Amino acid sequence: MTSGKTYAQQTIQVEGYVKDSITKGALPYVTVALRGTTKGTATDENGYFSMKTTSDSMILSVSYVGYETSHTALKKGVNRVNILLKPEMYELSEIVVRPGREKYSKKENPAVAFARHVIARRSLNNPYEHDYYSYNIYEQRTFANNDFDLEKARQNWVYKHIDFIFDYVDSTSVKGKTILPLYNEEIMEDYFFRKSPRAERKVVRGAKRAGIIEIISEDGVKQFVDEAFQDVDIFQDNIPLFLNRFVSPLSSIGPNYYKYYLLDTVVVDGEKCVDLGFVPFNSESFGFAGHLYVTLDSTYFIKKVNLNIPRDINLNFIGEMSIDQEYIRTDDGTRILTKNDIALIFKLTKKMKGAYARRVALYRNHSFDKQPDLTVFEEKAPVLESEGAHRQTEEFWSEARGGAGEIQPASVEKMMMQLREVPFFYWGEKIMNILINGYVQTSETNSKFEFGPANTFISGNALEGVRFRLGGTTTVNFSRRFFMDGYLAYGLEDHKLKGDAIFEYSFNKKKSFRKEYPFHYIRAEYQYDMNQIGQHYLYTNVDNIFMTLKRRENNLLTYMQKAELSYYKENYKGLGYRVSLRHLTEWATPDVPFDLIQADGTTLPVGHYRSTQLEFYLRWASNEKFYQSRNYRYPITLDVPVITLRHTIARKGILGSDHNYNRTEIGVRKRFWMSPFGYVDLYGQAGKVWDRVPYPLLHIPNANLSYSIEAESFPLMNPMEFINDRFVSWEMSYFMNGWLFNRLPLIRELQLREVLTFRGWYGDLSAKNNPDIAGVGLYRFPENTYRMGDRPYMEIGVGVENIFKLIRLDYIWRLSYRDHNGAPNGGLRMKIKFSF
C-alpha cells in the first residue's frame, strides 16, 4: 500500500504585457511559463501574451536575457497582468522619474545635470595614463542553440540517431534558459602596455576551442568575432560594436542623444551609488538603454554598467543583448575594469529562437609597475603565442577560471567527436567546408593537396565559350613554408589550353593556408590565359561562375603570357612593400586588334607586343581589420586610411621590351563615421603614364558588366569606353543606416537602410598617345573607344540595403556621355551583403 499527496489540476487563463521597467517599451518574444512545468508561451512583437492551460503550479515565471526573472502569483480563473522586467544583477526600487511618453525636458533637469558631471570627468582615472600597465585576461566564448526544448527534441525524428546530444544540454549556465552548446572557446593571456613609445602586446598562455566554427578559417573568424565582440569602452564618444558605431551614454553629445533619469540610490561593493538610467530619444537609433552606477562623491566614479539595445533598433540578427561591466578603483583613483560580460541572442527572424552567444572576460592581477622583462615590446607581432598554448592541462584551465561560479566550460569537444561519427553530419560538414572555403580536400586528415576554388570549375565568356578549369594548392600539411598553386583551363570554342603555376616560399611559417597574414614571401609565377582588358574584380575570380551573367557580352578579350618574380613583405604596423619583375606578352584577337599606324596613314596588323617591367608597390594600412579567406581579404572596417602607391618601369630593348614605360598610380580609401547619421566610404585614385606606349598599357577605367555591385568599378561603363594616359577617379558611398527610414511609421518596421553613391572618372589623353594626332607608331584605338571631353564621366546611385537583412539594391544613373553607342544610361544592380 502506498500513500502520498495529490494535487488538483487548476484551469488557469492568463494574459498581459511584458515591458522594460525603464523605457516602458514592450519586450518581444519573452519566455512566459508556469514555474516548474514545460507549459508556457512567448510574447509577440508587441510584448503581449495569452495562455490557457491546466496545472497545479500557480506561479508565472517570465524570463529574458539581460533581465531578472519575474515570478507572479496567479489565481484560479482569468488573470490579467502587466510585468515590468528589471535589468539583471541590479536592485531597483521605485522609479523617481517615469520615462516613456512623458514630457521630457533637458532644461533644469537634475538627471541631465548629473550626467553632464559624469561626462565631464570621463577622461579622468584612465589606466592608460600610467607609464606601464599589465594584467591577465581569462576569456570564454560560447555559441549555443537557444531555448533548446528537450521534451520536443526527444520526439523529433531529426535527433533519432544523435540522441546523445541530449547529454550536453545545459540548463544551469543561463538563467531561465536551456541551451545546447555548439561552440566553446577559452583563452588565457597576459596583456602588457607601455605608454612611451606606445606599445601593446598580448601573450597567449592557453587557448582551446571546439565546435562547428572549426570548419571556417580560424584566423579569419577570429578577426570577425573580435570586431563584433570587442570590449566596449563607454568612456569615448563612439563605441565600435557589431561593425557599427554606437553613441556612448558618456558621449559629448549624450544630452542631445539620450534621455537621462535619476532612478534610485543603491549600494555597490560597499559604496553608495546613484542609478543613472538612460535611453535614446529615438529607439531605432544606434544607442543603448541601460544604467550607470555612479558613486555619490565628487569623483563621479562609475562602478557598474549595464547596456541593452533599444527594442526598435535597426540592427540585424541581434534579438537581445546585455552588456555588464564592473570597475574598481585603486588607491590613487585609477579606474580598472574587472569584468566584461556580453550576452546575445542571434536571430535570422524575430520569431526564431535563434542562437545564444556569450563572451565573458575576467581581468585580474592589474599592475602599473614597470615590467621586469621589456623584451616583449620588441616583438613585432601584437599577439604572441606561448609554446604549448594549445596543449594546456585541465589543471591549468581550472586555475585560469579562478573558481568563478558562473564560468563553466561547455562540453563541446566530446560532442563534436560523436557527431562526426554520424554519416549525415559527417558529409554535411564536408559540404559546408567546401561551400565556405571553396576547396575540396584529398585526404580525411592532414590533406596535403586540395582542389579549388570550386566556383571556378566551370564558367564562360565570349572568347572561350564554355570554360573548364581545374586547379588546386598544396597545404600546410605539405609544407608550412613552400607552396605550389595553379590551374589548367580549356575553352570549348577557342580550343586553347591555358594555365597558371605559382611557386612560393614564405619566410613566415603558416598555420592554416598560404595567404595568411602577414605576407613575407618570394614568388615565381608563370601564366598563360585570356585577359579582360578594362575589367578586374577586387574580391572574386574573373572566371567565377557567379559572375558569368552579364548585361552584355564582353568580346574585348586578348591572350596574355606572364612570367613574374616578386618579393613582398608586410609588417604588423600595416606597411607592406613589393618588388616585382615581370615579362608580358599580349596577343591581339579579332575583336581587339593591334593595328600599327604607318607614316602614310595606313595600318599594319601586329600580332603582339612585349613589355618587361619592374614594379614597386607600397601599401600603408595601420591597424587594418579584415576577414581573411583562402584567397581574399575582405575589409571589416575602413576606419584607418588605406594608401597605395605603385610605379612601373620598362626600358626598350631590355629583356625584349618593345617600349619605354613609366606608370604611376596612387590610391586612398577611408571611412568617415557620421554617428549617429551613418558613415561615408571614400575612395580616390590618380595616375599617369609618362611615355608613348600602345593603348593596352594606358589607363583604362574598370568597367563592371555584371549585375553585382563591385567596389572601385563603373557599372554603366563599357569596357575600353575611355582610354587615358592621366586620370583621377573617385567613389563615394554614403550608408545612412536607416536614418531616414527609421522615422517613417510603416517603413521603419522593415528596417531598411539608405545608400547614396557617386562615382566618376576624369582623364585626358596627351598628344603623344593620341593616335589621331601623333599616330605613327601607335595602335589605332578600338572602334568602341571614345575621347573624353572637358567633363568627367559620372554615375549616381540611390539604393536600399538590408532587404531581408541580406540584399542591397541600387538604381544607378549615368550623368554624362549618355549618347555613347551601346552604353546603358541606367540600371538596377544588387549585392548580397552580410551586416549587423
Side-chain angles (χ1 to χ4, degrees), residues 281-302:
F281 280 99
N282 185 344
S283 63
E284 292 88 3
S285 58
F286 281 83
F288 300 100
H291 305 257
L292 299 175
Y293 285 75
V294 187
T295 57
L296 273 174
D297 55 27
S298 60
T299 65
Y300 293 88
F301 186 88
I302 296 175

Side-chain angles (χ1 to χ4, degrees), residues 393-560:
T393 64
E394 187 53 42
E395 290 76 18
F396 170 88
W397 288 113
S398 180
E399 182 180 350
R401 295 172 199 127
E406 73 275 24
I407 308 299
Q408 297 298 327
S411 302
V412 178
E413 187 174 3
K414 186 177 178 181
M415 182 181 73
M416 292 299 297
M417 292 175 62
Q418 290 181 266
L419 280 171
R420 286 174 179 139
E421 295 176 359
V422 179
F424 176 80
F425 183 87
Y426 172 84
W427 289 108
E429 187 179 29
K430 292 288 185 185
I431 294 171
M432 186 63 67
N433 187 294
I434 294 172
L435 293 176
I436 293 175
N437 295 316
Y439 284 82
V440 181
Q441 296 180 353
T442 57
S443 172
E444 289 293 321
T445 58
N446 300 323
S447 179
K448 295 183 179 181
F449 182 86
E450 296 177 349
F451 290 102
N455 61 4
T456 64
F457 287 163
I458 183 171
S459 60
N461 59 71
L463 189 62
E464 297 177 290
V466 177
R467 172 184 168 102
F468 295 99
R469 168 174 154 169
L470 183 63
T473 181
T474 60
T475 72
V476 292
N477 296 317
F478 174 81
S479 173
R480 293 186 179 274
R481 293 186 183 272
F482 179 70
F483 295 89
M484 293 179 287
D485 194 313
Y487 65 82
L488 290 173
Y490 185 79
L492 294 185
E493 288 191 12
D494 68 347
H495 305 293
K496 289 181 179 290
L497 184 66
K498 301 98 178 170
D500 184 32
I502 296 175
F503 301 90
E504 179 176 301
Y505 179 79
S506 173
F507 296 93
N508 302 326
K509 280 188 176 181
K510 301 297 185 179
K511 292 189 300 182
S512 301
F513 49 85
R514 177 169 67 92
K515 293 189 177 180
E516 281 177 353
Y517 175 82
F519 288 157
H520 186 197
Y521 63 74
I522 184 169
R523 174 193 297 170
E525 179 179 8
Y526 176 82
Q527 182 185 45
Y528 172 70
D529 209 337
M530 62 171 188
N531 178 37
Q532 300 188 38
I533 299 181
Q535 285 192 86
H536 64 269
Y537 304 105
L538 294 181
Y539 305 117
T540 188
N541 311 86
V542 294
D543 47 1
N544 184 342
I545 188 173
F546 299 109
M547 303 295 288
T548 301
L549 181 64
K550 300 182 184 297
R551 59 178 166 86
R552 53 156 283 185
E553 185 179 63
N554 178 29
N555 58 344
L556 301 178
L557 306 173
T558 62
Y559 294 105
M560 179 176 285

Side-chain angles (χ1 to χ4, degrees), residues 175-300:
K175 190 174 181 181
K177 287 185 178 291
T178 300
I179 63 173
L180 174 64
L182 300 175
Y183 176 80
N184 183 253
E185 176 180 9
E186 291 184 278
I187 300 174
M188 184 66 187
E189 56 191 8
D190 298 329
Y191 172 84
F192 302 97
F193 167 80
R194 183 181 63 193
K195 184 178 179 181
S196 181
R198 188 179 178 89
E200 293 178 278
R201 295 292 184 270
K202 286 183 179 180
V203 179
V204 179
R205 293 197 286 117
K208 68 174 184 176
R209 54 184 63 90
I212 58 173
I213 302 181
E214 291 175 302
I215 65 176
I216 308 175
S217 161
E218 182 178 299
D219 287 346
V221 168
K222 188 176 187 304
Q223 286 275 5
F224 188 85
V225 173
D226 284 349
E227 178 66 18
F229 274 170
Q230 63 181 294
D231 290 336
V232 168
D233 182 3
I234 63 168
F235 298 94
Q236 57 183 329
D237 281 334
N238 296 306
I239 298 174
L241 191 65
F242 308 126
L243 312 183
N244 286 287
R245 291 295 181 273
F246 286 68
V247 176
S248 169
L250 296 182
S251 170
S252 55
I253 67 168
N256 297 321
Y257 194 84
Y258 285 98
K259 299 178 182 179
Y260 295 98
Y261 303 95
L262 294 174
L263 300 177
D264 198 10
T265 57
V266 294
V267 176
V268 180
D269 293 335
E271 291 190 78
K272 197 170 185 180
C273 298
V274 169
D275 178 2
L276 179 65
F278 52 88
V279 63
F281 280 99
N282 185 344
S283 63
E284 292 88 3
S285 58
F286 281 83
F288 300 100
H291 305 257
L292 299 175
Y293 285 75
V294 187
T295 57
L296 273 174
D297 55 27
S298 60
T299 65
Y300 293 88

Side-chain angles (χ1 to χ4, degrees), residues 342-360:
I342 176 171
L344 303 166
I345 301 295
F346 289 102
K347 292 184 177 183
L348 292 178
T349 65
K350 289 184 177 181
K351 295 184 178 181
M352 292 180 63
K353 292 183 178 179
Y356 171 83
R358 185 187 185 195
R359 177 211 175 223
V360 57

Side-chain angles (χ1 to χ4, degrees), residues 47 91 96 153 172 407 457 581 690 695 769 826:
E91 296 292 334
V96 178
T172 60
I407 308 299
F457 287 163
L581 177 64
W690 305 83
Y695 70 79
N769 281 309

